[in-house]
Amino acid sequence: MTQPLNSKPKQLLAIGYVWPEPNSSAAGKHMLSLLKLFKTAGYQICFASPAMQTEHKIDLTQLGMDEVSIELNNSSFDEFIRALNPQVVLFDRFMMEEQFSWRVAKNCPNALRILDTEDLHCLRDARHKAHKQSRELTEQDLKSDMAMREIAAIYRCDLTLVISEYEMSILQEQFKVPSEILHYCPFILDIKKLTPSAKSFNQRQHFVSIGNFRHAPNWDAVLYLKQSIWPLIRKQIPSAELHIYGAYPPPKATDLHNPKTGFYVDGWAEDAFTVLEQSKVCIAPLRFGAGLKGKLADAMWTGTPSVTTSVGSQGMNDSGKWPGAIADTPQQIADNAVALYQDAELWQSASEYGYEVLAARFDANIIEPQLLARVEDCLAHLSQHRLMNFTGMMLQHHSHKSTQYMSQWIEAKNAHPK
């Protein structure tokens, strides 16, 4: 989909909590998919962030997109967005909506405001809290202060992108968010490029686990593997090796590296697909978290069976069947991982099923037109769309006043330090 000849391209401004790192996290890869989608549809893209640039960030300028550093609590953003005058503003995570949405509404009131949740932060936070206290998740955990902030941000936006069907149901059933302001947008994969891996069962070796170490669920999974799961696997396969990859490994992670026990902390992987395709089984024992797991989609893409938990598999395949195994105790995880590692027929069946899951759930040819059509419909009927979301109008009126005054107070304080 492209712009008609002689028409001025629409402008999309994405405001990121961090700069996209598609090789470090699923969130970075998903954001890049969204930016590419809108660029292909004829939009001019500007990505702005108040975050420090990192060593693994992608250079968006190489893709024909603009990059701009912006400041928190600074009216320079008002001048910037007035000059840019975007038709669409995409907030990456609710924290960016809190910081900048009132300025967008003030300076570009007719811009469509879209929130990309990445995952439900309130769900991830609630599960983390329950896990630390070794108990089941409660409604009180879920309906926390963070939930109030996140759900308010969802209401204030014209449209919110939700990556998981499970989270769509939580938003509508637990928080009563109307479907009119939600849009299901999972991973966007070019299924036409999906081909069975050339690496067979006998050409692969070792177990693998992968994930950004700055993401709390991933670090917990590494400790879980080290303390509870890996010893059970080594007991059954004494020569086995587990290779753990991920961006930004801290010293506490590299300290776990122990070749004598087959436990390797290898750190940053230049190409996750290569690492996964050379491995026989992926293990992702996630005990809390939210959203979809990029590492598991990548494993399916490379034909690598995986063993994960109920939390890890959530939103990726609701039939109960999995391209590998779903298990929730150390012994079950270990036994299933060993079975896949040793049984070529079981391994092959799981490998093939992974391709079916990807094609059924994450096909760009289906997801992209649906999202673009939804955005265009909102743009065409924006006034009416907002009138139907009175709760959002009310929240914007009240909460943005307080946010605005706090931001202006901070800016004035920074301008006149004692």
Side-chain angles (χ1 to χ4, degrees), residues 99-400:
Q99 287 286 342
F100 293 102
S101 183
W102 69 271
R103 293 186 184 274
V104 173
K106 177 184 174 185
N107 294 284
C108 297
N110 295 322
L112 181 71
R113 299 188 297 274
I114 302 176
L115 172 62
D116 180 29
T117 56
E118 295 293 358
D119 60 44
L120 273 186
H121 288 62
C122 62
L123 175 62
R124 188 206 306 171
D125 184 65
R127 284 176 167 167
H128 194 181
K129 186 185 299 180
H131 170 67
K132 284 191 291 188
Q133 297 177 11
S134 302
R135 57 174 177 75
E136 293 296 313
L137 181 73
T138 67
E139 186 176 8
Q140 187 175 3
D141 292 327
L142 185 61
K143 295 181 177 177
S144 61
D145 288 347
M146 182 177 286
M148 293 180 200
R149 291 172 56 197
E150 190 164 24
I151 303 304
I154 288 171
Y155 268 106
R156 285 191 298 262
C157 286
D158 300 309
L159 193 64
T160 290
L161 308 184
V162 185
I163 203 166
S164 157
E165 289 172 326
Y166 179 79
E167 293 177 7
M168 283 286 284
S169 67
I170 283 183
L171 287 171
Q172 292 176 83
E173 294 168 16
Q174 292 285 331
F175 295 105
K176 309 303 180 187
V177 178
S179 61
E180 289 78 11
I181 61 172
L182 301 175
H183 185 81
Y184 171 56
C185 184
F187 293 148
I188 304 171
L189 305 181
D190 188 355
I191 299 301
K192 298 191 299 296
K193 295 182 179 178
L194 182 60
T195 55
S197 170
K199 293 278 188 179
S200 67
F201 175 83
N202 290 324
Q203 292 174 305
R204 297 170 180 240
Q205 59 181 348
H206 309 320
F207 296 89
V208 67
S209 188
I210 192 164
N212 191 322
F213 283 94
R214 288 181 177 174
H215 191 53
N218 291 338
W219 170 237
D220 176 77
V222 170
L223 290 176
Y224 191 29
L225 276 164
K226 176 73 173 181
Q227 297 164 359
S228 304
I229 299 168
W230 186 240
L232 299 174
I233 293 176
R234 282 279 287 196
K235 198 174 190 180
Q236 297 183 60
I237 313 176
S239 62
E241 293 181 14
L242 170 62
H243 289 264
I244 296 176
Y245 294 88
Y248 307 110
K252 63 182 180 181
T254 53
D255 286 348
L256 300 178
H257 181 79
N258 188 348
K260 286 184 178 179
T261 62
F263 197 91
Y264 293 80
V265 179
D266 295 309
W268 168 252
E270 286 291 338
D271 186 343
F273 288 126
T274 299
V275 164
L276 285 162
E277 194 170 29
Q278 292 172 345
S279 305
K280 193 167 280 188
V281 177
C282 174
I283 311 180
L286 297 154
R287 293 189 284 188
F288 59 94
L292 301 179
K293 311 303 178 287
K295 60 180 73 64
L296 297 175
D298 290 348
M300 294 180 209
W301 190 275
T302 56
T304 309
S306 59
V307 180
T308 190
T309 59
S310 300
V311 167
S313 66
Q314 210 163 57
M316 297 190 76
N317 196 24
D318 300 327
S319 67
K321 188 178 177 183
W322 185 256
I326 299 171
D328 288 309
T329 68
Q331 192 66 60
Q332 290 172 343
I333 293 168
D335 290 347
N336 279 287
V338 168
L340 285 162
Y341 196 85
Q342 295 180 328
D343 187 329
E345 188 175 336
L346 181 67
W347 186 95
Q348 187 63 36
S349 175
S351 176
E352 291 171 359
Y353 184 60
Y355 301 128
E356 293 180 34
V357 173
L358 294 181
R361 301 185 74 90
F362 308 125
D363 188 347
N365 285 326
I366 297 171
I367 298 163
E368 290 182 344
Q370 290 177 342
L371 175 56
L372 288 173
R374 190 76 187 277
V375 169
E376 292 303 317
D377 184 67
C378 287
L379 281 168
H381 307 97
L382 188 55
S383 296
Q384 187 60 34
H385 181 77
R386 287 177 175 172
L387 282 174
M388 292 191 300
N389 180 18
F390 182 78
T391 302
M393 292 166 60
M394 177 180 63
L395 285 169
Q396 184 172 325
H397 175 79
H398 288 287
S399 64
H400 275 201

